[in-house]
Amino acid sequence: MADNKNHQISMAASAIAMRGIRIFLSAGKAAAERRASPPRARRPKTVVPGNKLQFNVAEMLLKETKFDKNELDALFTMYRKLVTSAQNAAPTSVIGQPAAKIDGIDQNTFRDVMHNTFDLVTEDIVLDRVWLTWERGINGGEGALKFEAWARGLSVLLRGTDEEKKSHCFAVYDLNNDGYITRDEMFTLLKNSLLKQPGDEDPDEGVRDLVELVLRKMDIDKDGKLSIDDYKQAVKQEPLLLEAFGQCLPSKRHAAAFIKTLVNK
């Protein structure tokens, strides 16, 4: 009994230590500067979503998400504004070249929403992985976010079950999508989360030590890598380990504030 209690305390202490290290997260890189418009250029073709959410889409999302009809309508209005804003800000194309077609939420807009609305001030590698895990295209990871994918993704971020959030975070951390978080992936994620100061020694050794600490606490079957089952069991024992390798979920405060804006629309 005492051993089990000591193990739980050790898990919690390790998780808190890891969270402490992660205080020094980079604030995220500023959006790339817009290129100057070339002479005699034209705007990309505008592809504006319809004014109202289609009935069949709404019925489908009512079953697949945790939003009600009014919230879906509010989300769709927001989606239209984001798409239109991105189209208006897009660089122009040179005469003779086909205009880019913007149809959905692009990656820059997605980044801005995650940063400014949900305060996901996290590493670029993590934010890129959040973007890549959202459903896009027939095979996934293709093009811009359509409304259906936008609503499903936000449903997990804002109202997802514990299991859904664990699966989401694991998918973000599984950099090569092979079903495991390996030592190399942990090293990449943790090293990118540390803000290196001028004059600091190379932090690689410290990061490797941290990786070994993580494995001792989370690698349940001791095979040197984390499976989804390892990860879920470890997080069940110590919830602080949910975002051990980088912030990929909004805080409860920011999630509640966003949902409140949907209700008030």
Side-chain angles (χ1 to χ4, degrees):
M1 182 71 176
D3 289 343
N4 184 49
K5 183 176 181 181
N6 290 336
H7 174 70
Q8 292 178 348
I9 294 174
S10 175
M11 288 279 288
S14 299
I16 292 170
M18 290 171 62
R19 298 280 289 208
I21 291 173
R22 301 186 58 77
I23 290 176
F24 300 100
L25 296 175
S26 59
K29 295 180 181 178
E33 293 184 355
R34 302 293 185 186
R35 291 177 297 175
S37 300
R40 299 181 62 193
R42 66 190 184 200
R43 288 285 177 190
K45 182 180 179 181
T46 300
V47 185
V48 181
N51 291 324
K52 292 185 178 181
L53 181 59
Q54 294 181 3
F55 177 80
N56 61 327
V57 174
E59 289 296 300
M60 175 185 66
L61 291 176
L62 283 172
K63 298 175 182 177
E64 297 180 357
T65 71
K66 296 177 178 65
F67 298 119
D68 62 28
K69 181 59 167 59
N70 290 334
E71 290 169 339
L72 286 172
D73 286 337
L75 280 175
F76 186 71
T77 298
M78 177 185 298
Y79 170 81
R80 292 186 73 252
K81 290 179 179 178
L82 290 171
V83 174
T84 302
S85 177
Q87 290 168 354
N88 292 336
T92 53
S93 58
V94 180
I95 290 295
Q97 298 295 323
K101 181 180 179 181
I102 302 175
D103 185 10
I105 293 176
D106 63 8
Q107 188 169 5
N108 284 337
T109 302
F110 181 84
R111 277 174 168 272
D112 289 344
V113 173
M114 293 298 115
H115 278 311
N116 301 327
T117 303
F118 298 122
D119 198 33
L120 245 63
V121 183
T122 189
E123 304 76 46
D124 285 346
I125 187 172
V126 174
L127 201 51
D128 287 346
R129 284 296 304 165
V130 174
W131 163 257
L132 288 171
T133 58
W134 286 40
E135 176 191 341
R136 298 196 314 288
I138 297 175
N139 299 315
E142 299 173 357
L145 280 174
K146 301 300 193 300
F147 176 69
E148 293 90 329
W150 174 244
R152 292 190 193 103
L154 287 178
S155 179
V156 173
L157 257 60
L158 300 172
R159 288 178 172 153
T161 63
D162 287 344
E163 286 299 301
E164 288 173 334
K165 290 180 178 179
K166 289 174 189 175
S167 296
H168 165 71
C169 291
F170 184 88
V172 170
Y173 302 147
D174 179 12
L175 301 182
N176 64 357
N177 305 315
D178 69 347
Y180 295 95
I181 306 173
T182 64
R183 275 186 170 88
D184 288 342
E185 288 170 328
M186 292 180 207
F187 180 85
T188 298
L189 290 162
L190 292 172
K191 183 176 180 179
N192 275 275
S193 75
L194 301 178
L195 188 62
K196 192 175 186 297
Q197 300 294 334
D200 283 356
E201 296 183 0
D202 187 80
D204 286 9
E205 184 175 350
V207 175
R208 290 193 181 94
D209 290 342
L210 189 56
V211 168
E212 295 307 315
L213 171 65
V214 172
L215 278 172
R216 285 199 297 272
K217 300 303 179 184
M218 300 184 74
D219 183 14
I220 306 299
D221 59 9
K222 307 302 178 186
D223 63 351
K225 56 189 177 183
L226 298 185
S227 66
I228 184 66
D229 289 336
D230 289 334
Y231 177 78
K232 287 183 175 181
Q233 288 185 53
V235 173
K236 183 178 181 180
Q237 293 180 52
E238 180 44 69
L240 285 174
L241 292 172
L242 177 64
E243 295 180 271
F245 305 111
Q247 183 192 7
C248 46
L249 291 166
S251 67
K252 290 182 179 179
R253 179 170 66 87
H254 284 91
F258 181 82
I259 290 172
K260 187 176 180 179
T261 65
L262 298 182
V263 175
N264 292 336
K265 283 187 179 298

